[in-house]
């Protein structure tokens, strides 16, 4: 039903126009997903992706949705907590965030659920305890869950792009991506290639 257009290049006259165009597109995307007779929920981490989505959601419907934030389930994983980013953002918007800490499940239960639903091992901790959020959505009678998942992979996560280029045999583009990433990171090309 949708195909990503890689041929048409958008040319605007200033950075401000690009920002405005992006905001317009995100507003439209959020608005199109609001059509439901059920409650609305949103995932809110400390990242730019979910924060941008929640900002546009809040702009359109105010506080009439249920924001959820999954925080680490033990002090051992406190370094992963983005609560210090979520809290000032949610306070500025007047949002009552439902913080979930994962203590509702054991690590074993979480791993079992992930293997059953994804049929593969987890690549990172972002996928852990997702069932808790889904259960909370069900409890709040929410069938639409806004999320920022995938935003950075589409725009700025070089490793995913680089591996895809390599895996699909686009070697010239792969090499250019490695060189650009090296320039951005201030590293030698060989070092970045190995990484």
């Amino acid at each position: 039903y949708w195909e990503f257009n890689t041929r048409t290049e958008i040319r605007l006259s200033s950075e401000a126009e690009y920002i405005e165009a992006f905001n317009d597109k995100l507003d439209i995307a959020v608005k199109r997903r609001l059509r439901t007779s059920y409650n609305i929920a949103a995932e809110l981490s400390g990242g730019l992706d979910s924060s941008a989505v929640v900002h546009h959601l809040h702009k359109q419907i105010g506080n009439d949705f249920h924001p959820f934030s999954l925080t680490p389930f033990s002090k051992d994983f406190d370094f992963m907590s983005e609560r210090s980013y979520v809290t000032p953002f949610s306070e500025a918007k007047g949002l009552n965030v439902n913080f979930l800490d994962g203590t509702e499940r054991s690590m074993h239960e979480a791993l079992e659920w992930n293997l059953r639903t994804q049929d593969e091992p987890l690549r990172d901790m972002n996928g852990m305890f997702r069932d808790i959020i889904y259960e909370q959505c069900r409890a709040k009678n929410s069938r639409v869950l806004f999320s920022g998942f995938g935003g950075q992979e589409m725009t700025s996560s070089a490793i995913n792009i680089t591996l895809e280029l390599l895996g699909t045999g686009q070697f010239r583009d792969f090499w250019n991506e490695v060189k650009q990433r090296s320039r951005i990171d201030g590293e030698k090309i060989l070092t970045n290639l190995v990484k």
Side-chain angles (χ1 to χ4, degrees), residues 17-190:
E17 284 187 18
Y18 283 107
I19 292 169
E20 184 180 346
F22 175 81
N23 278 320
D24 290 345
K25 293 287 186 191
L26 192 51
D27 262 339
I28 291 167
V30 167
K31 185 176 185 176
R32 286 181 178 165
R33 285 152 181 83
L34 288 174
R35 293 179 288 203
T36 180
S37 54
Y38 296 92
N39 292 323
I40 297 197
E43 294 177 300
L44 180 59
S45 70
L48 294 175
D49 304 329
S50 66
S51 298
V53 170
V54 168
H55 165 76
H56 284 269
L57 180 59
H58 181 264
K59 190 167 82 170
Q60 292 187 37
I61 64 171
N63 290 348
D64 195 21
F65 67 99
H66 302 284
F68 295 102
S69 186
L70 192 57
T71 55
F73 51 90
S74 78
K75 291 288 181 200
D76 297 335
F77 289 90
D78 214 29
F79 67 94
M80 293 173 52
S81 178
E82 296 181 342
R83 196 174 192 137
S84 61
Y85 301 111
V86 173
T87 301
F89 176 83
S90 59
E91 286 175 353
K93 300 283 181 201
L95 299 174
N96 183 20
V97 177
N98 301 285
F99 285 100
L100 307 170
D101 64 8
T103 56
E104 299 87 344
R105 294 282 181 285
S106 70
M107 180 66 82
H108 184 260
E109 288 172 310
L111 287 170
E112 265 186 358
W113 180 84
N114 276 277
L115 286 170
R116 190 173 61 254
T117 58
Q118 296 185 33
D119 197 30
E120 65 180 355
L122 290 171
R123 290 189 204 167
D124 55 42
M125 292 299 286
N126 281 337
M128 292 298 290
F129 304 105
R130 306 227 25 92
D131 57 327
I132 296 170
I133 292 177
Y134 302 150
E135 285 178 7
Q136 290 296 316
C137 287
R138 193 177 309 116
K140 302 276 188 192
N141 200 25
S142 298
R143 293 195 182 179
V144 174
L145 176 64
F146 282 84
S147 176
F149 267 110
Q152 69 189 34
E153 288 82 2
M154 287 293 294
T155 60
S156 63
S157 186
I159 188 67
N160 294 333
I161 295 166
T162 308
L163 291 176
E164 183 177 329
L165 293 172
L166 182 62
T168 56
Q170 299 176 61
F171 302 117
R172 180 178 289 138
D173 291 337
F174 164 77
W175 182 245
N176 286 333
E177 189 69 34
V178 169
K179 288 192 304 188
Q180 288 287 15
R181 178 55 51 193
S182 300
R183 187 178 58 76
I184 291 168
D185 293 343
E187 294 179 335
K188 293 181 178 178
I189 293 175
L190 185 59

